[in-house]
Amino acid sequence: MVGALVIWGARGLDAPLPRDAGLYLYAGQQVAGGDPPYVGVLNRAGPISHLLPALGVELGRLLGAGDVVGVKVLYLALMSAAPALVYLIGRDVFGSRLAGVTAGAALLSVHVVAIGATNGPEAKLPVMLAQVIALLLLTRRRWLGAGVVTALATLTWQPVLFCLAPAAAVRALTQPASMRHRARDLSTFAVGGLVTLGVIVAGFWAVGALDAFVEGFWTVNATYTEQTGAFSRPRLVLSYLQSGLGWTLWPVLVGCALSIGLGVAAMFTYRSEPRRSSNVMTLGMATAAFVAWCGVAFNRGPDGLPAYPLAALGLGGSIGILAHLVRRAGTPLPRRLLIGTVALWVAACTVLTFVHTTDRRSDDLEYQRALTLAVFSHLPDDATVFTYEATPPMVLSHSTSISRFVLFGHGMLDYVAAEWPGGVDGYVHWLIDERPDVVFIHIRNPHDFLLPLLSSYTKVSGGPRLGGNPEWRTYVRNDLDPEIVAAIKQDHVTARRAQEAGH
């Protein structure tokens, strides 16, 4: 855990806030301000993806560190436990410390995990941690706790249920016990999950936000969400994996294949080793189920976060099997070679990951702050804002968009078309009538439907250029005082020159 804190934390906490992490942090700010999840901002992930960032926001304010740093520290601290927990699963399931060490080092090295740990509140990061905890509890037959944690994971990001529910079924039905005990354990798992869900639902009902919960957690996802997966666009998904994982793509792919393969092989060793085989089959089922989900929906590297610890356990399991074979041989040289190989693996993962995180140290968060301040320092405190997929300036200015719709991709615009009076045109006319003082536009996504709104606005910034690409554009109303517009433009220029000089 300490190693993960040091290695992942070497990137620092001043890296720029990505769009999706900004969305969850913005949602956390709304909850910290008194709005239940989904009320202030409609986010399609589970309510805990709002509540956990809200805890980080409150922590940052309590310590005087600010909202962004508070959330980043909380997520880094939570995520640092994942490699240690994977070590425990690998050691227990495969009966080998070498297996656990190999698996823990493999997870430590995955690029998207190492970078994501300090990016901010990506919803799938706590899901990955919850999944690892649930699998640990399943392998130890802690059925009630596993059900509770599975529900918490699902209430953070819904698709993880397709991974954990089949794994729990396999663990219950293959454990060496009578059918009565198997049914009882599976029922206990289900009760833990349903009671947890019931508590959340009761909480929404108590605060009068049950309709918002059903809308955000279920309706939008079940009816309107559009996804791209490996089955439909394999080359695109592979490019996402390559850009997000780098050299760790190959251990992930091999590890997933090994995890599934070990699960299948365990079916043939069940009679001789029922307990261990049951656990190995559980991990294999979890891997196969989530890989199948990635075939349906996979939009970028973080979407695979639940698969990465399973891939790590696949690598660890293969080493565990080799360790048992070497032990049975009874000769010291092969065992020493295996230990040396694992030691080299751990050293390589540690050094390469540390180099990767330190190479990506950045102070671009301060640049984002400067560009946000360049706008709001010249406007009154009650200035109104609308944002189209540009979440960082909302977070950094502690502003609230006039619309609870923030992200519009993957079917959300279709939801607006179906649910808003007058459809998309009605929504745009409402924005025009509201006349927000500032509009932020994330330029990488199509926004042609907003052109009637933008015709009454002046662009004052092309946005921060992070990684060579503008992240968002800033517009202010045409009727704003020309001197204020000129001052905003000049402050943007000054901030950009300072950032370029610093680099």
Side-chain angles (χ1 to χ4, degrees):
M1 181 172 178
V2 174
L5 274 173
V6 173
I7 294 169
W8 293 345
R11 184 172 179 239
L13 302 176
D14 290 325
L17 191 63
R19 186 200 66 169
D20 284 12
L23 172 67
Y24 297 116
L25 211 160
Y26 174 61
Q29 288 177 327
Q30 301 308 304
V31 172
D35 284 333
Y38 304 113
V39 172
V41 53
L42 184 58
N43 171 19
R44 285 174 286 196
I48 295 177
S49 67
H50 297 236
L51 297 171
L52 194 58
L55 178 61
V57 167
E58 295 289 3
L59 175 66
R61 293 175 183 178
L62 178 65
L63 300 178
D67 296 359
V68 176
V69 172
V71 173
K72 286 190 174 188
V73 167
L74 175 64
Y75 272 67
L76 175 60
L78 290 174
M79 292 310 302
S80 65
L85 294 171
V86 165
Y87 163 81
L88 291 176
I89 296 174
R91 183 198 65 184
D92 293 352
V93 170
F94 298 103
S96 168
R97 292 181 179 178
L98 292 178
V101 169
T102 301
L107 182 60
L108 180 75
S109 70
V110 177
H111 284 181
V112 72
V113 179
I115 297 302
T118 52
N119 260 351
E122 162 64 56
K124 301 168 194 70
L125 286 169
V127 163
M128 186 187 82
L129 178 63
Q131 175 195 259
V132 170
I133 295 172
L135 290 172
L136 180 63
L137 293 172
L138 284 174
T139 59
R140 296 184 176 186
R141 299 178 61 187
R142 303 293 190 266
W143 295 102
L144 184 63
V148 170
V149 176
T150 296
L152 293 175
T154 306
L155 287 163
T156 307
W157 189 57
Q158 298 90 325
V160 75
L161 181 64
F162 298 113
C163 169
L164 290 176
V170 167
R171 181 68 180 100
L173 296 176
T174 60
Q175 62 178 324
S178 65
M179 286 303 299
R180 179 180 178 182
H181 281 85
R182 291 172 179 176
R184 182 196 64 189
D185 290 343
L186 200 55
S187 298
T188 302
F189 174 84
V191 166
L194 292 173
V195 168
T196 304
L197 175 62
V199 169
I200 294 293
V201 171
F204 274 95
W205 175 80
V207 298
L210 185 57
D211 289 345
F213 168 72
V214 174
E215 176 191 23
F217 187 74
W218 175 256
T219 305
V220 177
N221 291 289
T223 310
Y224 295 96
T225 298
E226 301 170 353
Q227 298 286 5
T228 297
F231 296 151
S232 59
R233 303 187 70 178
R235 290 184 179 179
L236 180 62
V237 170
L238 181 60
S239 70
Y240 288 149
L241 287 169
Q242 289 173 332
S243 63
L245 298 180
W247 72 268
T248 59
L249 169 63
W250 302 110
V252 164
L253 293 179
V254 172
C256 284
L258 286 172
S259 180
I260 296 172
L262 290 173
V264 172
M267 298 169 61
F268 299 97
T269 61
Y270 181 77
R271 289 187 178 181
S272 59
E273 295 181 308
R275 294 184 183 277
R276 180 174 297 172
S277 297
S278 176
N279 281 329
V280 175
M281 283 189 282
T282 298
L283 298 179
M285 173 54 73
T287 308
F290 193 77
V291 167
W293 170 258
C294 291
V296 176
F298 194 98
N299 299 301
R300 55 200 181 88
D303 286 358
L305 278 165
Y308 304 144
L310 295 166
L313 287 165
L315 294 173
S318 63
I319 294 298
I321 291 174
L322 287 175
H324 286 297
L325 293 175
V326 167
R327 189 179 301 117
R328 289 175 185 174
T331 54
L333 182 59
R335 178 170 175 78
R336 291 172 183 170
L337 289 174
L338 184 60
I339 293 174
T341 301
V342 172
L344 286 174
W345 168 252
V346 172
C349 289
T350 301
V351 172
L352 291 176
T353 306
F354 185 77
V355 170
H356 183 70
T357 53
T358 52
D359 282 349
R360 282 154 183 79
R361 287 185 67 92
S362 169
D363 60 357
D364 281 338
L365 178 63
E366 292 306 313
Y367 179 43
Q368 289 181 318
R369 290 187 196 276
L371 291 172
T372 303
L373 182 63
V375 177
F376 288 97
S377 63
H378 298 286
L379 297 177
D381 293 339
D382 60 351
T384 55
V385 185
F386 168 69
T387 185
Y388 173 83
E389 308 222 356
T391 55
M394 306 303 297
V395 171
L396 298 172
S397 64
H398 296 84
S399 299
T400 299
S401 178
I402 62 172
S403 171
R404 61 196 288 258
F405 299 107
V406 175
L407 301 190
F408 293 82
H410 300 293
M412 184 62 80
L413 191 59
D414 294 333
Y415 182 74
V416 173
E419 299 296 326
W420 194 275
V424 174
D425 289 340
Y427 179 70
V428 174
H429 285 304
W430 172 77
L431 290 173
I432 293 172
D433 290 340
E434 290 293 318
R435 300 180 71 234
D437 297 304
V438 184
V439 174
F440 295 107
I441 301 287
H442 191 285
I443 70 165
R444 294 184 183 177
N445 296 315
H447 56 276
D448 291 346
F449 74 98
L450 291 175
L451 292 179
L453 170 69
L454 298 179
S455 64
S456 300
Y457 286 77
T458 298
K459 186 178 75 170
V460 295
S461 167
R465 292 183 176 273
L466 306 176
N469 298 308
E471 296 291 311
W472 70 76
R473 293 192 180 112
T474 305
Y475 297 80
V476 296
R477 286 197 342 230
N478 283 342
D479 57 358
L480 202 62
D481 186 336
E483 292 185 1
I484 293 178
V485 175
I488 292 174
K489 288 183 176 180
Q490 182 57 49
D491 282 0
H492 275 89
V493 171
T494 301
R496 182 169 296 126
R497 286 175 178 171
Q499 192 256 1
E500 291 172 353
H503 285 265

